[in-house]
Amino acid sequence: MNKQKLAEWIDAHFDEEVGVLQQLLRVPTDTPPGNNAPHAEMVADLVKAYGWTAEKHAVPEQAVHDYGMQSITNLIVRRPYAAGGPTVALNAHGDVVPPGDNWTYPPYGGVVADGFIYGRAAAVSKCDFATYIFAVRALEALGVPLKGGLELHFTYDEEFGGLLGPGWLLEQKLTKPDYVIAAGFSYNIVTAHNACLQLEVTVHGKSGHGAMPETGHDALQAATRILNAIYDQLPELKKIKSKIAGIDSPTMLVGRIDGGTNTNVVPGKVVLKMDRRMIPEEDPVAVEAQVRALIENAVQGVPGITLEIKRLLLSHALRELSGTEKLVASIQQNAETFIGEKIPAQGTPLYADARLYGEHGIPAVLYGAGPRTVPESNAKKADERLNLEDLRKATKVVAATLFDFLAAT
């Protein structure tokens, strides 16, 4: 009966929820450049209308600039209830990749057409700002006794790795919830995801005249050895299999190459940027040591060549922790009620900032508004969109799950 009332409240306020999502989409948060504080200010003003106070936690300007962004203000909205229950946090990120070209709809228009809402971050993950706000509003409108507490974490560093988003809130000891639901898709629950290592490899040689290449030390020729060593490793990586559904094998690639001076000059310097995805069963420390050794061995003994290897990112895997199963069971049961099917709980080869909660021992899953798969939503592509019925369903499921954890029964 109570869960049906939650659903009825969400239906009655759904047009308002869509309007809020339109507001969220219309303030750009392209990252890079990453000037995201204005969006946080807008969200703080928005929730004030509900009688909520959003704590504004601005990351120091120098730390943000050193990180490669312009401004970050993370928000925490705390909703404390009676003693004796858990604290559940809901986390969504507001930073997004730039929209790019070939849009049919304005990327920051929040246009609604044929049952979809269009805009950058409509599916990942400004939609879940709306999902979580209205799920909490529905729960509180129910008027039943609640125990424990809720926290809304609206953060602005996922595209760069999360260290200045959830990572900042956790490291500063501003929060330590008992459970976390982070932005995801409504037709599956993500309980694990891959780790990611990104390295910048600078190959130093010596420039020389193209007519007399023996006067130089060719950095590109040396870099080719590294490329061959990396790509020769791929068949071996394919043999490594994860036991987690939804996750297959580790991957490795070079995503960017810069170097050389001119067509007729021996390249004196080449920079490679590479990405190594690790399945949850792998040890990131051991993998990084292996990759560094692979690169160094590829050019060992090559005259005039030196290397610099800089770590750009080491994102750990999200793994299931004790307590994850409670989140999964509740979400699955409520999804059967409001979506009409049993949704799977599985891993994903992507990585997200939910892992940072896991690193602090907090059970976390990814669940929110969206389709069955990332490609269906055009996420990070032109005409990113969200089916509004998926927003409605996910809001009901999240609200009912919060009821399961916080209702004082």
Side-chain angles (χ1 to χ4, degrees):
M1 178 63 77
N2 281 319
K3 290 184 179 180
Q4 191 54 42
K5 287 181 179 177
L6 288 173
E8 290 169 0
W9 188 96
I10 291 163
D11 285 336
H13 293 80
F14 191 65
D15 287 346
E16 182 188 352
E17 183 174 1
V18 173
V20 165
L21 179 51
Q22 288 178 306
Q23 292 180 61
L24 294 164
L25 296 177
R26 287 170 180 164
V27 177
T29 49
D30 293 359
T31 303
N35 181 25
N36 294 330
H39 192 274
E41 293 290 338
M42 182 273 289
V43 174
D45 287 341
L46 190 154
V47 300
K48 193 182 296 182
Y50 311 136
W52 299 351
T53 299
E55 299 172 12
K56 300 174 185 177
H57 297 287
V59 180
E61 189 176 331
Q62 191 61 52
V64 176
H65 288 178
D66 291 347
Y67 198 61
M69 294 169 68
Q70 294 180 357
S71 69
I72 298 175
T73 299
N74 298 307
L75 303 178
I76 300 178
V77 179
R78 302 183 201 268
R79 304 298 298 156
Y81 308 126
T87 297
V88 180
L90 305 168
N91 170 241
H93 69 92
D95 59 310
V96 297
V97 296
D101 300 323
N102 303 315
W103 283 73
T104 306
Y105 297 92
Y108 288 108
V111 173
V112 174
D114 300 323
F116 289 85
I117 186 167
Y118 289 83
R120 173 55 82 232
V124 184
S125 80
K126 288 179 183 175
C127 58
D128 283 328
F129 280 56
T131 305
Y132 298 157
I133 288 170
F134 278 77
V136 175
R137 287 188 66 200
L139 179 70
E140 295 186 348
L142 200 56
V144 301
L146 301 172
K147 64 183 190 303
L150 271 168
E151 293 181 2
L152 293 165
H153 296 177
F154 296 136
T155 55
Y156 290 87
D157 171 34
E158 200 272 346
E159 301 299 344
F160 274 33
L163 297 180
L164 296 188
W168 178 263
L169 297 180
L170 291 160
E171 289 297 331
Q172 298 298 309
K173 302 190 186 312
L174 295 165
T175 182
K176 186 68 185 289
D178 298 297
Y179 299 94
V180 172
I181 300 174
F185 289 127
S186 62
Y187 292 89
N188 62 68
I189 306 162
V190 173
T191 57
H193 66 58
N194 278 350
C196 180
L197 169 67
Q198 293 179 349
L199 298 176
E200 179 182 84
V201 182
T202 303
V203 185
H204 294 282
K206 179 185 174 185
S207 297
H209 197 290
M212 295 174 285
E214 67 279 358
T215 64
H217 297 290
D218 193 330
L220 182 56
Q221 194 171 26
T224 302
R225 288 172 171 254
I226 296 171
L227 289 168
N228 286 335
I230 288 170
Y231 287 108
D232 285 349
Q233 193 70 19
L234 299 190
E236 292 303 310
L237 295 184
K238 276 288 182 190
K239 295 176 184 177
I240 303 171
K241 299 293 181 183
S242 174
K243 294 178 181 177
I244 300 169
I247 297 177
D248 186 16
S249 298
T251 61
M252 185 161 56
L253 61 84
V254 174
R256 179 164 177 161
I257 304 174
D258 297 286
T261 307
N262 205 353
T263 313
N264 59 349
V265 179
V266 174
K269 184 173 87 168
V270 173
V271 180
L272 311 175
K273 291 186 178 181
M274 64 163 296
D275 180 293
R276 167 69 156 85
R277 300 296 167 107
M278 296 166 274
I279 61 174
E281 292 91 339
E282 290 185 289
D283 175 2
V285 174
V287 168
E288 182 170 4
Q290 291 163 6
V291 173
R292 285 175 177 268
L294 180 75
I295 293 166
E296 290 164 354
N297 291 340
V299 294
Q300 191 171 20
V302 178
I305 297 297
T306 59
L307 291 180
E308 287 179 69
I309 305 176
K310 175 185 174 185
R311 183 205 289 170
L312 300 176
L313 172 72
L314 181 58
S315 159
H316 290 269
L318 174 66
R319 297 179 175 87
E320 289 193 37
L321 300 174
S322 176
T324 302
E325 74 286 351
K326 295 179 184 176
L327 287 167
V328 169
S330 177
I331 293 171
Q332 284 183 324
Q333 181 184 15
N334 291 312
E336 282 197 69
T337 300
F338 295 112
I339 298 179
E341 60 183 83
K342 186 175 177 67
I343 61 174
Q346 59 189 45
T348 177
L350 308 175
Y351 74 91
D353 51 10
R355 75 189 188 280
L356 295 160
Y357 294 101
E359 287 179 27
H360 284 259
I362 303 164
V365 300
L366 278 65
Y367 179 81
R372 294 177 191 278
T373 64
V374 172
E376 289 176 62
S377 66
N378 294 325
K380 301 194 176 182
K381 297 191 293 186
D383 286 344
E384 182 175 346
R385 67 182 191 169
L386 174 71
N387 186 321
L388 291 177
E389 285 306 304
D390 287 343
L391 176 65
R392 187 194 303 265
K393 291 172 184 175
T395 306
K396 292 176 180 179
V397 173
V398 172
T401 300
L402 296 178
F403 178 86
D404 288 341
F405 277 78
L406 301 170
T409 52

